[in-house]
């Protein structure tokens, strides 16, 4: 039987088995990716095998090359896509970086120099972050000087990133933003904030009437002085619906065109974040008839900041606030780098993120803080392994010459998307494949005696061997 150079193969819709079809001089392996009906179902059901040459039955190398042409979703069944996504494909998600303001409220950080802040600002720009909080100039002379220098850098360098400044809801905090905006010649969004939850009202002896008057005065002052107004209530997630509706409606009536919903103390769950955002969209924003941007600002006290931020977007939020390395009050804000990672993996952004580790490491150095070794994606150990089984699979994938395969076989995050790579180490849990791979990478002949010596040393070690230690083992004289 003569097969055409291009074969269209239809695979059974609900089968997870592997099929071999043979005819004449062709062997073709078809792997079925069982997906629920949806956008990817057609791609999984119909697999077009591009056959540009006749393959011999025994030509394993050619078969491997052919297998590499298979769609990546043939390799992995993704339960994440088994039901329609909560965030529709194509949703635009904006990001506001709080590293240089809320991030610096962490009690263990050092306030970076203005030179360091400017370098961090440029790294934000390189990552495509949409806006940045450049400070709270009402806090004092140093804060005001740094805020103005950052605003000036945005103008001078013609950066795309948009500045905003934090301010309490009174004129003494808003006026410095007005003055900096006028001197530098750029619109700076005024993020005016006040507490709103019943527990805060109890402690401060505030009434809702007082908060409403304060809101009205602050937003009016900002708008009358030409500042875009971003209205923020602290602890929104623990505030009653009536107060939420009353305060945000007041802000919008007086000219606010962005509203920020906050999980100031890290109380929220994803369900709570979704519910709050949806309530504000349905009960405040839509009835206002105005075009209002809805922001989510979350903290990580329960370890749910990323999940909450994604749930907020699903509920209707347009922009998420975050800080590099999850810096901020107590245990910090939503980690900006992990928002970027997740949005990239979800297909909601598509941009060069190769500077991600540089951004995080620069912030850590500038603030005199450290990144945990096992921190996702940008931690030292994120893509390292010394375990024999894991390493063997990664090595086999690398030897097939397919970077995606090597990245995916033992990792849920493809390292190459973030300018990184898989690293194979040698330690007490390693196997021979670790040693052979290390030697090949360092262009050292894999002599049996050398391999045995390295593996024996690794098995007796309490930790992963350093490169220097392995090099020394490679050069040891053979016993006489």
């Amino acid at each position: 039987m003569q097969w055409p150079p291009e074969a269209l193969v239809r695979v059974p819709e609900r089968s997870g088995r592997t099929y071999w079809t043979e005819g004449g001089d062709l062997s073709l392996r078809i792997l079925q990716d069982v997906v629920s009906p949806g956008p990817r179902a057609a791609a999984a059901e119909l697999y077009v095998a591009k056959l540009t040459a006749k393959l011999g039955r025994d030509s394993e190398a050619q078969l491997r090359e052919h297998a590499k042409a298979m769609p990546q979703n043939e390799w992995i069944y993704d339960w994440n896509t088994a039901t329609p996504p909560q965030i529709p494909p194509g949703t635009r998600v904006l990001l506001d970086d709080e590293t240089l303001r809320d991030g610096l409220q962490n009690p263990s950080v050092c306030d970076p120099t203005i030179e360091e802040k400017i370098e961090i600002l440029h790294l934000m720009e390189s990552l495509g972050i949409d806006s940045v909080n450049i400070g709270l100039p009402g806090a004092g002379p140093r804060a005001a000087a740094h805020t103005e220098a950052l605003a000036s850098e945005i103008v001078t360098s013609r950066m795309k990133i948009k500045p905003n400044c934090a301010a309490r809801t009174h004129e003494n905090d808003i006026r410095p933003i007005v003055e900096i905006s006028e001197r530098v010649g750029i619109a700076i969004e005024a993020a005016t904030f006040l507490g709103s939850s019943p527990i805060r009202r109890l402690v401060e002896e505030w009434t809702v009437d007082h908060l409403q008057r304060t809101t009205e005065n602050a937003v009016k002052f900002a708008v009358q002085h030409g500042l875009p107004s971003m209205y923020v209530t602290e602890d929104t997630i623990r505030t009653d619906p009536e107060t939420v509706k009353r305060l945000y409606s007041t802000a919008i009536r007086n000219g606010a065109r962005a509203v920020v919903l906050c999980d100031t103390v890290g109380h929220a769950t994803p369900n709570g974040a979704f519910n709050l955002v949806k309530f504000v969209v349905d009960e405040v924003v839509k009835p206002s008839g105005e075009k209002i941007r809805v922001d989510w600002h979350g903290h990580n006290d329960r370890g749910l900041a990323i999940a909450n931020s994604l749930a907020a977007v699903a509920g209707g939020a347009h922009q998420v606030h975050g800080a590099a390395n999850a810096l901020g009050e107590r245990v910090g804000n939503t980690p900006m780098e992990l928002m970027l990672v997740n949005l990239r993996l979800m297909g909601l952004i598509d941009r060069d993120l190769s500077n991600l580790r540089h951004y995080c490491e620069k912030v850590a150095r500038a603030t005199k803080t450290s990144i945990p070794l096992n921190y996702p994606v940008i931690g030292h150990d994120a893509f390292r392994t010394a375990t024999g089984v894991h390493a063997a699979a990664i090595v086999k994938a690398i030897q097939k010459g397919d970077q995606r395969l090597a990245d995916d076989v033992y990792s849920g995050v493809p390292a190459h998307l973030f300018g990184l790579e898989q690293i194979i180490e040698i330690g007490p849990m390693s196997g021979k494949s670790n040693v052979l791979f290390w030697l090949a990478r360092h262009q050292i002949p894999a002599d049996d005696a050398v391999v045995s010596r390295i593996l024996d040393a690794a098995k007796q070690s309490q930790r992963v061997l350093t490169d220097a230690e392995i090099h020394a083992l490679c050069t040891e004289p053979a016993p006489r």
Side-chain angles (χ1 to χ4, degrees):
M1 175 182 177
Q2 290 296 316
W3 287 69
E6 184 175 87
L8 181 65
V9 182
R10 184 180 182 89
V11 289
E13 188 172 325
R14 282 290 175 185
S15 173
R17 289 171 290 177
T18 299
Y19 293 89
W20 286 88
T21 63
E22 297 189 52
D25 55 2
L26 172 74
S27 295
L28 175 63
R29 188 181 186 192
I30 306 165
L31 296 177
Q32 168 65 26
D33 182 9
V34 190
V35 300
S36 296
R40 297 185 181 178
E45 187 185 8
L46 295 178
Y47 170 57
V48 181
K50 302 288 185 181
L51 305 173
T52 58
K54 294 183 178 180
L55 301 178
R57 278 198 186 94
D58 299 324
S59 181
E60 292 185 10
Q62 286 179 293
L63 286 171
R64 282 199 300 270
E65 286 300 311
H66 171 63
K68 281 161 59 177
M70 294 168 62
Q72 192 172 1
N73 64 357
E74 297 282 353
W75 305 346
I76 298 168
Y77 179 72
D78 191 355
W79 282 99
N80 295 331
T81 62
T83 57
Q86 289 187 318
I87 303 173
T91 298
R92 187 182 181 205
V93 182
L94 303 173
L95 295 171
D96 178 45
D97 201 312
E98 288 272 359
T99 304
L100 301 178
R101 202 280 303 177
D102 198 345
L104 300 183
Q105 291 182 201
N106 185 287
S108 294
V109 308
C110 290
D111 187 11
T113 65
I114 188 55
E115 292 78 16
E116 290 171 320
K117 288 181 180 179
I118 287 172
E119 187 177 345
I120 292 167
L121 179 67
H122 279 276
L123 286 168
M124 294 174 187
E125 175 87 352
S126 75
L127 294 170
I129 293 169
D130 302 278
S131 59
V132 54
N133 191 321
I134 55 175
L136 198 165
R142 177 183 169 90
H146 281 206
T147 299
E148 184 161 348
L150 290 167
S152 181
E153 181 68 20
I154 291 172
V155 172
T156 303
S157 299
R158 298 183 178 182
M159 300 171 78
K160 294 180 181 178
I161 199 166
K162 296 178 180 179
N164 61 73
C165 284
R168 289 163 294 184
T169 44
H170 57 70
E171 293 182 11
N172 290 342
D173 266 17
I174 303 170
R175 188 173 290 107
I177 305 175
V178 175
E179 293 167 352
I180 291 170
S181 176
E182 290 174 348
R183 283 196 297 268
V184 173
I186 189 173
I188 300 175
E189 195 171 33
T192 52
F193 62 88
L194 85 170
S196 63
S197 59
I199 190 170
R200 181 73 186 280
R201 300 198 306 260
L202 174 66
V203 170
E204 302 286 357
E205 297 184 354
W206 290 338
T207 65
V208 178
D209 286 342
H210 164 73
L211 295 179
Q212 186 174 12
R213 287 193 300 272
T214 303
T215 296
E216 183 174 353
N217 293 336
V219 172
K220 270 186 179 178
F221 184 84
V223 172
Q224 287 170 356
H225 286 81
L227 298 179
S229 175
M230 177 200 300
Y231 177 70
V232 187
T233 67
E234 293 183 330
D235 208 10
T236 328
I237 194 68
R238 299 193 300 176
T239 302
D240 57 286
E242 274 303 311
T243 302
V244 168
K245 190 173 178 179
R246 186 171 168 186
L247 295 182
Y248 283 104
S249 296
T250 298
I252 292 170
R253 278 197 308 272
N254 286 278
R257 289 301 172 262
V259 295
V260 184
L261 314 178
C262 293
D263 180 22
T264 307
V265 300
H267 166 82
T269 64
N271 197 45
F274 179 90
N275 291 341
L276 174 60
V277 173
K278 194 170 188 311
F279 172 82
V280 170
V281 169
D282 290 345
E283 299 295 324
V284 178
V285 173
K286 288 180 180 178
S288 76
E290 301 289 349
K291 186 177 180 180
I292 306 297
R293 191 188 74 236
V294 178
D295 289 17
W296 172 260
H297 178 107
H299 284 254
N300 203 33
D301 297 70
R302 295 174 69 169
L304 293 172
I306 288 289
N308 290 343
S309 296
L310 294 173
V313 173
H318 305 107
Q319 180 161 268
V320 169
H321 297 196
N325 307 334
L327 291 179
E329 286 278 0
R330 301 178 312 280
V331 302
N333 288 265
T334 301
M336 177 59 74
E337 64 283 349
L338 297 186
M339 276 304 300
L340 285 162
V341 167
N342 279 280
L343 293 175
R344 176 67 179 84
L345 296 180
M346 295 168 72
L348 296 173
I349 61 173
D350 184 10
R351 64 184 69 156
D352 179 9
L353 296 178
S354 57
N355 268 337
L356 194 65
R357 176 177 277 178
H358 184 28
Y359 160 75
C360 294
E361 289 177 345
K362 178 61 188 178
V363 169
R365 287 193 302 271
T367 57
K368 307 295 190 293
T369 55
S370 59
I371 299 170
L373 294 175
N374 64 341
Y375 194 85
V377 187
I378 51 93
H380 182 62
D381 292 345
F383 298 110
R384 294 172 74 217
T385 185
T387 307
V389 173
H390 293 210
I394 295 169
V395 169
K396 289 173 185 175
I398 291 172
Q399 289 170 346
K400 291 180 186 291
D402 194 311
Q403 183 64 54
R404 294 182 309 163
L405 189 62
D407 273 348
D408 288 348
V409 67
Y410 255 111
S411 179
V413 178
H416 73 278
L417 292 180
F418 309 101
L420 305 169
E421 63 178 358
Q422 301 292 332
I423 299 172
I424 307 296
E425 305 277 16
I426 303 172
M429 300 184 72
S430 297
K432 186 177 180 181
S433 60
N434 298 58
V435 179
L436 293 174
F437 182 79
W438 190 97
L439 292 172
R441 276 289 169 95
H442 291 79
Q443 298 182 330
I444 298 172
D447 178 83
D448 286 347
V450 171
V451 172
S452 296
R453 193 156 59 239
I454 295 171
L455 197 54
D456 288 346
K459 294 297 183 184
Q460 296 175 48
S461 177
Q462 291 182 310
R463 54 169 174 75
V464 167
L465 300 178
T466 66
D467 281 358
E469 289 170 332
I470 301 170
H471 275 293
L473 289 165
C474 292
T475 56
E476 275 187 18
R480 295 183 179 182

